[in-house]
Amino acid sequence: MPTSRSTPPAGSPLVLPALEALAGPVLLVDAHQRVMVATPEAETRLGPASVRPGTPLLEALNLTEGAKGLEALLTQGRQVEATLRADGRVHVMQVRALTLEQGARRLGWVVLLGAETETEGTEGGTEETFHGMWTRDPGMKRLFRIVEKVARTESSVLVRGESGTGKELVANALHAISTRRKGPFRAINCAALPPSLLESELFGHVRGAFTGAVRDSPGHFRLADGGTLFLDEVAEIPLELQGKLLRVLETRTIIPVGGRSPVPVNVRIVAATHRPLRREVEAGRFRADLMYRLRVVPLFLPSLRDRRGDILPLARRFLDELQQHGPRHVERFSPGARRLLESHGWPGNVRELRNVMEYAYVIGEGPVLHEADLPPEFSEPHPPRAAAPTARQSPPQELPGAEGKEHNPEELRAALARAGGNRTEAARQLGISRVTLWRRLRAAGETGKQ
């Protein structure tokens, strides 16, 4: 009768691969902070010479905070960062440590080598937080420096970027470091209000100007007097209001709805849009003279897919924020989850990433975030997608007259298939708005796929 075999000894070749399968790449460190053993992937990442038995941990890991970071890692239990160099590139790695104790005696630590991201050269190896925006991307850092220069002036600024890239954060930063920082900051989404209400919200109204106007209302221009007014989605302002807005910018006075006397205002305008205003001008949907008034200094925010080195670190930061108020403690991403996060198109950019991390945090369990924790769209099979635009390429823009061009049902279905069922992406490929796509699908008897 066969007998059960005993547990493999500590020196068994099964032990380190098993440890790595459970916890990822690991270093075992003794009480004197010296490396005793490294799992195979840890040795590959750091190099055999760096993890020889007896090597001080501070020499094995190139911690960005040096000796201070080592103390934070081992005594405070804080996650720190280490940098690696390979093929002329800088890799940034998240590092955590768990204390090993036997009774009151400390035996050493298990050092976990977590998420690793690749950056372009040494400039991208250091992180920067700028008025609520975090990055390691050199392009974003250059944008921060431009914002600092522009904030010292009174010039009108147009911020261009996709939804979720942080346009309002840029507007806040322009206000916070300007000479107007002691004045008010007001923001209004021009796409969220019908034209009649938008005019009243911007310029105010006098009592009796229309049904329901029982008292005077100052409007956003007067409320922002001495400060900054942020006009989000400025391309959605109707043509009939664009002339009045131009008049305000030229004369620095407003006339409330129903009023006759001009009221002086001292406001700096920061506008934002996800559409190219030049295309809107060519299509006859936006006034050229107003565009030149608003677009004195254009700023372009890159999409998250153009900052792929920021995806995993940002995801880690969002998880750390969630862990401060929740019961789950996520130590690392599984290889499959990392692959899905890095390859996703992120049409909603940083906002979408934050929402995905909150979903994964709530749905999953345990210290590892697996691919099954991610929202359903990450696990659905998708047809091959067109290559995402690179930093040197501008994403396809809506073409003049594209809204008027009819597409047959086959073209609509093909675009949806290429976009993996994502209507926003399909509309972008066709050069039409998402609403137009939905209307044409409905007319063709297609429901599409959300």
Side-chain angles (χ1 to χ4, degrees):
M1 182 176 179
T3 58
S4 60
R5 300 182 62 88
S6 59
T7 303
S12 168
L14 293 175
V15 173
L16 292 182
L19 178 60
E20 191 165 271
L22 292 171
V26 161
L27 300 177
L28 296 182
V29 180
D30 67 11
H32 300 290
Q33 301 181 5
R34 295 175 302 197
V35 176
M36 299 305 295
V37 69
T39 60
E41 186 179 342
E43 183 174 325
T44 300
R45 281 199 197 182
L46 301 175
S50 299
V51 294
R52 282 197 300 260
T55 302
L57 183 61
L58 190 58
E59 294 181 14
L61 296 175
N62 185 21
L63 299 176
T64 56
E65 299 177 65
K68 182 180 177 182
L70 183 64
E71 180 183 359
L73 173 70
L74 300 181
T75 63
Q76 301 172 20
R78 178 164 65 84
Q79 178 175 286
V80 297
E81 292 182 344
T83 57
L84 306 170
R85 287 184 178 274
D87 302 324
R89 292 182 177 269
V90 177
H91 298 252
V92 181
M93 177 173 58
Q94 309 298 317
V95 182
R96 302 179 72 89
L98 302 175
T99 305
L100 298 176
E101 296 177 340
Q102 190 175 54
R105 179 175 164 230
R106 176 182 291 165
L107 301 178
W109 294 268
V110 176
V111 177
L112 308 169
L113 309 183
E116 179 183 342
T117 57
E118 183 179 289
T119 59
E120 299 180 1
T122 56
E123 184 182 1
T126 58
E127 65 182 54
E128 180 176 352
T129 301
F130 183 79
H131 295 271
M133 293 172 283
W134 181 97
T135 192
R136 287 199 188 105
D137 181 71
M140 281 292 287
K141 292 178 183 179
R142 287 192 291 271
L143 175 69
F144 295 163
R145 304 291 80 80
I146 295 173
V147 169
E148 289 172 337
K149 292 179 182 179
V150 176
R152 297 194 292 264
T153 73
E154 288 288 302
S155 301
S156 297
V157 178
L158 178 67
V159 185
R160 168 98 178 277
E162 297 178 7
S163 175
T165 51
K167 296 187 289 293
E168 187 164 354
L169 290 175
V170 170
N172 269 294
L174 285 165
H175 175 74
I177 55 182
S178 72
T179 56
R180 294 176 173 268
R181 58 184 172 273
K182 294 183 179 179
F185 176 85
R186 304 288 298 186
I188 182 170
N189 188 327
C190 301
L193 300 170
S196 57
L197 186 54
L198 179 60
E199 181 179 11
S200 173
E201 286 293 310
L202 285 174
F203 310 120
H205 63 258
V206 299
R207 179 182 176 184
F210 50 83
T211 303
V214 296
R215 62 177 65 87
D216 290 354
S217 175
H220 278 71
F221 268 96
R222 290 174 66 182
L223 292 172
D225 191 48
T228 304
L229 177 59
F230 176 53
L231 301 177
D232 197 9
E233 298 298 349
V234 71
E236 308 303 320
I237 294 180
L239 275 170
E240 59 267 25
L241 282 186
Q242 291 176 24
K244 193 167 184 178
L245 177 59
L246 177 64
R247 177 75 177 170
V248 172
L249 296 178
E250 289 176 340
T251 65
R252 292 193 171 271
T253 62
I254 62 164
I255 299 178
V257 177
R260 296 184 178 179
S261 302
V263 180
V265 288
N266 176 20
V267 174
R268 182 188 192 175
I269 298 295
V270 178
T273 178
H274 70 281
R275 298 187 184 189
L277 285 190
R278 290 189 183 277
R279 300 281 190 184
E280 296 299 297
V281 170
E282 292 170 5
R285 292 188 290 264
F286 205 84
R287 294 179 58 128
D289 46 7
L290 179 57
M291 179 193 71
Y292 293 126
R293 279 285 184 177
L294 295 174
R295 198 181 180 272
V296 177
V297 179
L299 298 177
F300 298 90
L301 269 171
S303 64
L304 187 57
R305 63 179 170 271
D306 291 331
R307 305 161 45 194
R308 293 212 175 263
D310 280 352
I311 293 174
L312 288 180
L314 278 171
R316 179 72 256 178
R317 289 176 66 86
F318 294 150
L319 283 176
D320 290 342
E321 292 175 7
L322 292 165
Q323 288 172 173
Q324 294 176 10
H325 308 287
R328 186 183 178 193
H329 184 76
V330 179
E331 295 178 356
R332 65 187 181 92
F333 299 100
S334 73
R338 289 176 58 188
R339 184 177 63 255
L340 289 174
L341 291 172
E342 290 178 321
S343 62
H344 187 59
W346 299 111
N349 293 287
V350 178
R351 185 186 296 123
E352 181 187 3
L353 177 59
R354 180 187 291 274
N355 292 342
V356 166
M357 285 301 99
E358 184 169 357
Y359 177 96
Y361 181 81
V362 171
I363 295 299
E365 295 180 355
V368 180
L369 191 149
H370 295 282
E371 50 265 54
D373 300 341
L374 298 173
E377 59 264 28
F378 282 80
S379 57
E380 293 175 353
H382 295 301
R385 293 183 57 171
T390 65
R392 296 182 179 86
Q393 295 174 311
S394 298
Q397 305 297 342
E398 189 168 309
L399 301 175
E403 293 289 339
K405 177 186 175 183
E406 293 298 329
H407 298 88
N408 62 48
E410 289 300 326
E411 290 177 313
L412 300 177
R413 282 193 289 269
L416 278 170
R418 287 194 303 271
N422 186 305
R423 287 184 177 180
T424 302
E425 175 64 17
R428 187 186 69 80
Q429 292 180 15
L430 292 169
I432 59 178
S433 70
R434 190 177 186 276
V435 174
T436 300
L437 175 62
W438 174 84
R439 188 170 62 248
R440 292 179 182 175
L441 285 170
R442 186 178 62 176
E446 299 283 341
T447 58
K449 185 177 174 185
Q450 292 291 350

